[in-house]
Structures are given as C-alpha cells and as structure tokens.
C-alpha cells in the first residue's frame, strides 16, 4: 500500500526494565512515564520485561495500576524478564506458559518471545534462554504477519554483544559465566528474522543501544535496547504508517533521569533470596 500523507501515522512506544519495587521513587518514575505516554498520544505500548524487581504479585499489581489506561483498552503488550521470575514468579503467567505468541493491532504485528527460563527462579542466574525450537516458532509466527504492517520481535535479553555495565558483569565474564552474555542463539534469531521483521526490541541492559543491520531482504532490520525506562526517565517512540517507519525513532523525556540505583537495590532482594533458600534447606 503506498503511503498517503493524508493517512495518520501511528505511534509505538518501547519501555523496559521498570523494576517496580513498591517504593515512592519507583511510583514517581512510573507515573511520569505514563503521563508522557498520554501526552504523546501513543497508540500502543510494549514493555520488554523486568516489570517488577522481585517477581512479586504486589509489584505486578502496582504495574497494572499505573498502566491501566493502556491495559484496559488493549493497547499494552508486555513480556517477562529475569527479574519477574524469582520470588512469587509472577512472570511465568505473563504469556500463559507460551514461549512465543503474536499480537496484532492496527498497523502492527508483534512476535512476543519469552527469553526467560526456570534458572531465572534463582536471583543470581539472570541470563536468558533461547532454543532452536523457539527460533523455529518465531520463524513460523512471522509467516502470519499481514502485509503493510510494522513487524517487531519482542524479547527481554539482548541478542547481540553489548558493553559490560557493572563490576559483577565483569566478574561473571572473567570467570566464563553466562550471566552477562547475550543469548547464545541471538545471532541465529537475527538471521531468521532478517528481511521479515522491521524491529527487534529488547531490554535487560540498562544503558540503551541501537544497531542497524541493513537490508538482508525486503525489510531493513533494526535492533533497539530500551535501557531502563525508569532510570532514564525516557522511552523511544516509533512512528509508522502502512508497515513503514515514517521517521527516525524519537526519544520522549518523561522526567529527569533518576539517581543511579545503589547496590542496595539488588543486594536486598539477593539476601532475601538466600534467606529463603536457607529456610527451605533447613525446614
């Protein structure tokens, strides 16, 4: 379908790694994001994992409260991240047990991929999981994409190597642990979706990034890491029409960037996890 300048463009917003933890700071960051989404008149919102910080039902309920305007109107799509799996494992229900499913909206086709695994029930095992079977499912899902729609693949973990962001990641890499590395089959997934999808959207790493992989087929493939939307106080907006991007994605600043999270933000739930494991071992 040729693009007509009389046609209204649609807006897709990409958020990730909210890490809602029931604190006032967390609530304030989420509230500012929601207000900015409303001001931007976004048509659809995707959140690529780590909605919660400890995988609790209370944290997920807080997410639902903040994003109710989009949930109630069917304009929100989200997938689990590794932080949604410990604790009460609220993330295991996000995709109803499916590893891949599709969402169709006006001008938009989303392939949702759960890149978490049972190992993420352990707070310290944060790396993702992607199997050949899941890659095949994504391949089959893309065959269903209608023409003249923007096609995006959503997953939490990064599919390409990214710079290390913290000392623990450096330690894990130094000792050959998988916790900071990209998905083992990430490059394989990109090969399969190249030319058939427009966007691969993910999170996990808190510093945003982007890569243009060129045009392996009929479509140019771009990979975007949202970073932590609450830490950054911003999100990307993709304007599209008739299955094409009509401009470069634009950052929308919702609030001043939050102060960098201290180690306590991760240490406290880590200690709670260890205490819980000790309790199960003793009793």
């Amino acid at each position: 379908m040729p693009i007509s300048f009389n046609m209204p463009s649609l807006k897709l917003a990409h958020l990730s790694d909210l890490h809602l933890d029931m604190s006032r700071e967390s609530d304030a960051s989420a509230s500012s994001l929601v207000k900015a989404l409303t001001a931007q008149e976004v048509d659809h919102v995707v959140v690529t994992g780590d909605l919660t910080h400890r995988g609790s039902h209370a944290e997920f309920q807080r997410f639902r409260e903040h994003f109710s305007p989009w949930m109630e109107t069917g304009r929100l799509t989200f997938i689990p991240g590794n932080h949604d799996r410990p604790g009460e494992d609220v993330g295991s229900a996000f995709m109803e047990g499916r590893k891949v499913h599709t969402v169709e909206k006006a001008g938009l086709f989303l392939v949702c991929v759960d890149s978490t695994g049972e190992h993420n029930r352990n707070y310290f095992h944060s790396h993702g999981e992607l199997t050949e079977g899941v890659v095949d499912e994504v391949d089959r899902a893309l065959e269903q994409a209608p023409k003249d729609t923007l096609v995006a693949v959503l997953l939490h973990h990064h599919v390409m190597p990214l710079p290390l962001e913290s000392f623990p990641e450096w330690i894990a890499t130094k000792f050959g642990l998988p916790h900071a590395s990209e998905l083992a089959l990430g490059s394989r997934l990109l090969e399969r979706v190249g030319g058939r999808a427009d966007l691969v959207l993910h999170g996990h790493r808190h510093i945003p990034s982007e890569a243009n992989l060129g045009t392996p087929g009929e479509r140019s493939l771009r990979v975007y890491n949202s970073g932590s939307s609450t830490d950054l106080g911003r999100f990307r907006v993709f304007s599209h029409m008739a299955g094409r991007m009509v401009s470069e994605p634009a950052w929308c600043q919702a609030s001043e960037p939050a102060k960098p999270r201290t180690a306590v933000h991760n240490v406290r739930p880590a200690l709670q996890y260890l205490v819980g494991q000790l309790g199960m071992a003793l009793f």
Side-chain angles (χ1 to χ4, degrees):
M1 176 187 300
I3 293 178
S4 168
F5 290 103
N6 294 322
M7 296 171 59
S9 62
L10 299 170
K11 292 182 179 180
L12 170 69
H14 176 206
L15 283 68
S16 195
D17 293 73
L18 306 179
H19 292 272
L20 298 185
D21 60 6
M22 309 300 289
S23 67
R24 285 182 295 178
E25 294 81 6
S26 173
D27 278 341
S29 295
S31 179
S32 66
L33 290 171
V34 169
K35 288 178 182 178
L37 289 167
T38 302
Q40 286 289 313
E41 298 183 330
V42 167
D43 297 284
H44 200 80
V45 181
V46 298
V47 187
T48 51
D50 283 1
L51 285 59
T52 69
H53 191 53
R54 307 180 192 181
S56 75
H57 292 291
E59 290 171 336
F60 181 55
Q61 179 57 32
R62 187 61 56 88
F63 169 82
R64 292 175 61 92
E65 292 167 359
H66 280 296
F67 288 86
S68 59
W70 280 270
M71 293 191 75
E72 292 171 358
T73 55
R75 295 182 295 145
L76 175 68
T77 300
F78 56 88
I79 59 175
N82 54 286
H83 272 267
D84 301 312
R85 299 300 308 274
E88 296 171 332
D89 194 12
V90 67
S92 63
F94 285 1
M95 290 174 53
E96 300 178 349
R98 295 172 292 182
K99 296 298 287 185
V100 178
H101 81 91
T102 60
V103 174
E104 291 187 51
K105 297 295 177 180
L108 192 62
F109 186 83
L110 305 174
V111 180
C112 304
V113 182
D114 179 1
S115 63
T116 70
E118 282 302 306
H119 62 277
N120 292 141
R121 298 286 288 119
N122 183 324
Y123 186 84
F124 297 98
H125 294 172
S126 59
H127 55 289
E129 177 181 87
L130 192 63
T131 66
E132 287 284 1
V134 169
V135 173
D136 289 341
E137 283 190 64
V138 172
D139 196 14
R140 291 191 293 271
L142 288 171
E143 294 176 357
Q144 305 170 27
K147 293 182 178 180
D148 301 323
T149 59
L150 189 76
V151 179
V153 176
L154 316 180
L155 69 171
H156 177 65
H157 293 86
H158 50 302
V159 291
M160 302 172 64
L162 292 176
L164 300 177
E165 297 178 357
S166 66
F167 181 69
E169 289 179 355
W170 183 86
I171 289 291
T173 303
K174 188 73 173 177
F175 286 92
L177 302 176
H179 308 337
S181 63
E182 71 277 8
L183 289 164
L185 294 180
S187 60
R188 176 67 174 149
L189 178 70
L190 292 175
E191 290 174 3
R192 297 285 285 275
V193 306
R196 307 168 67 199
D198 304 288
L199 304 171
V200 173
L201 306 178
H202 70 84
H204 193 51
R205 290 295 182 83
H206 286 195
I207 297 176
S209 63
E210 59 183 275
N212 188 338
L213 303 186
T215 309
E218 296 180 2
R219 298 172 181 261
S220 177
L221 180 63
R222 297 187 179 194
V223 181
Y224 290 94
N225 169 24
S226 170
S228 172
S229 302
T230 43
D231 278 358
L232 297 167
R234 60 178 179 165
F235 52 85
R236 283 191 184 93
V237 176
F238 300 84
S239 295
H240 60 101
M241 183 190 303
R244 299 182 192 176
M245 300 262 288
V246 297
S247 62
E248 288 296 308
W251 282 105
C252 175
Q253 193 72 42
S255 64
E256 289 297 317
K259 293 180 180 179
R261 298 180 198 249
T262 65
V264 174
H265 192 250
N266 282 319
V267 169
R268 185 180 292 120
L271 290 176
Q272 290 177 331
Y273 172 80
L274 289 174
V275 169
Q277 293 297 300
L278 180 61
M280 287 191 292
L282 292 176
F283 302 102

